[in-house]
Amino acid sequence: MRVALGLAYDGANFCGWQSQPNGGGVQDALELAISSIAQHQVRVHAAGRTDTGVHAHCQVVHFDTTSTRPVTAWVRGVNAYLPETVRVEWAHEVDDDFHARFSAFSRSYQYLLYNAPVAPALMATKAGWFHLPLNGEAMSEAASYLIGEHDFSGFRASECQAKTATRHMIKSDVKMTGKYFIFEFTANAFLQHQVRNMIGALVYIGKGAYPPVYMKELLHKRDRTLSPPTFSPNGLYLTGVGYDPKWGLPINQADSQQDIQSDSQSHIHVLI
């Protein structure tokens, strides 16, 4: 039997999603918990890998099991073995040809950035921070150049193993709420560090170091060494994974995007 799970996790104390030799990945904690319920070793496959310090509001994974358990066991039972910063939010039996990664047609990320002279104490691991005033209109214009199909070589990590840097950006948007900026991106897939590298470029544009058209120039030059530094992972959230409705998964991309924005607003309202 193949089972799909929807996860949320705080990535601050993990070495990213992927399994690590020291057991410090979110994948390690999840596989151990599922194996405890299944009573056999389980390997999970995720829709996308998140880096060290990156959070997930809607990560989707699947695993195969020979054990027969009620669906509730894959939620409440697994959660009983997980650290409190990782939670299975739903479970759903799927056909054997479903794959959390290869069946997905889109991924969505949001970045929460606090823009004030002093870093946010209560949001230290939940939001990025930049101390100089940022121009939201300039960043919004710059972000619009990312929409469409492009070679994103200028925004990929040097160790990225993707066979091609071409990605189709469906949404690229910047919103401002009080002292916070919320950056929203949806694409068919993302390269390693792509979102954090795009945020780095947008912040440089926002502080006035470059005009908005600089983003378009970085896309055309396709040279990572010419782009600004990679930005902090603290405010980055995986917020949605898009799947065909035929799989019957109990959550969709639009719902998850709305939820993380609501969560962000709740965090912000506590502080202002």
Side-chain angles (χ1 to χ4, degrees):
M1 182 173 63
R2 180 160 292 185
V3 180
L5 303 177
L7 306 178
Y9 53 82
D10 181 338
N13 295 319
F14 290 97
C15 301
W17 160 261
Q18 192 171 5
S19 180
Q20 301 293 317
N22 65 357
V26 178
Q27 182 180 5
D28 296 307
L30 182 62
E31 288 180 346
L32 184 61
I34 296 175
S35 298
S36 297
I37 298 299
Q39 293 296 294
H40 65 80
Q41 189 170 359
V42 168
R43 187 69 172 175
V44 299
H45 304 270
R49 298 174 180 176
T50 52
D51 297 329
T52 300
V54 176
H55 315 294
H57 183 76
C58 181
Q59 172 72 279
V60 178
V61 308
H62 83 264
F63 66 93
D64 294 325
T65 179
T66 56
S67 300
T68 301
R69 301 284 186 273
V71 173
T72 54
W74 303 123
V75 181
R76 287 182 293 184
V78 172
N79 282 338
Y81 287 92
L82 285 170
E84 62 182 4
T85 52
V86 182
R87 281 292 173 266
V88 176
E89 297 194 326
W90 53 261
H92 187 71
E93 294 181 14
V94 290
D95 293 339
D96 289 345
D97 54 347
F98 173 84
H99 194 286
R101 177 184 174 190
F102 299 119
S103 298
F105 61 75
S106 69
R107 285 86 173 162
S108 296
Y109 284 88
Q110 290 188 2
Y111 194 97
L112 185 63
L113 177 65
Y114 184 66
N115 186 207
V118 178
L122 300 182
M123 297 287 285
T125 62
K126 301 297 189 299
W129 169 61
F130 191 74
H131 62 293
L132 298 177
L134 295 173
N135 185 328
E137 292 184 1
M139 292 192 295
S140 182
E141 180 183 345
S144 69
Y145 290 116
L146 298 171
I147 295 176
E149 187 172 273
H150 304 286
D151 183 327
F152 285 92
S153 293
F155 301 99
R156 71 186 298 180
S158 58
E159 64 270 24
C160 180
Q161 299 178 356
K163 295 180 179 179
T164 175
T166 300
R167 296 291 186 269
H168 183 198
M169 189 72 69
I170 302 165
K171 181 178 184 179
S172 178
D173 194 20
V174 182
K175 299 177 181 178
M176 185 175 184
T177 303
K179 296 180 180 180
Y180 286 84
F181 285 98
I182 300 174
F183 301 82
E184 300 180 338
F185 304 101
T186 298
N188 63 325
F190 288 86
L191 301 165
Q192 186 176 7
H193 293 176
Q194 181 182 340
V195 176
R196 292 168 58 195
N197 290 335
M198 294 189 302
I199 294 294
L202 289 169
V203 167
Y204 267 61
I205 291 168
K207 72 176 184 178
Y210 302 101
V213 73
Y214 176 65
M215 185 65 81
K216 187 176 182 179
E217 295 173 1
L218 291 177
L219 279 172
H220 289 167
K221 290 177 180 178
R222 304 176 184 176
D223 186 347
R224 175 69 192 119
T225 63
L226 301 177
S227 301
T230 305
F231 212 72
S232 165
N234 291 350
L236 184 56
Y237 297 77
L238 172 61
T239 56
V241 186
Y243 293 99
D244 191 300
K246 71 178 183 179
W247 301 115
L249 300 183
I251 194 168
N252 60 47
Q253 180 180 333
D255 290 340
S256 59
Q257 284 186 310
Q258 181 62 42
D259 287 347
I260 188 62
Q261 186 157 336
S262 298
D263 287 352
S264 298
Q265 295 289 342
S266 297
H267 288 316
I268 292 168
H269 290 160
V270 170
L271 301 174
I272 60 176

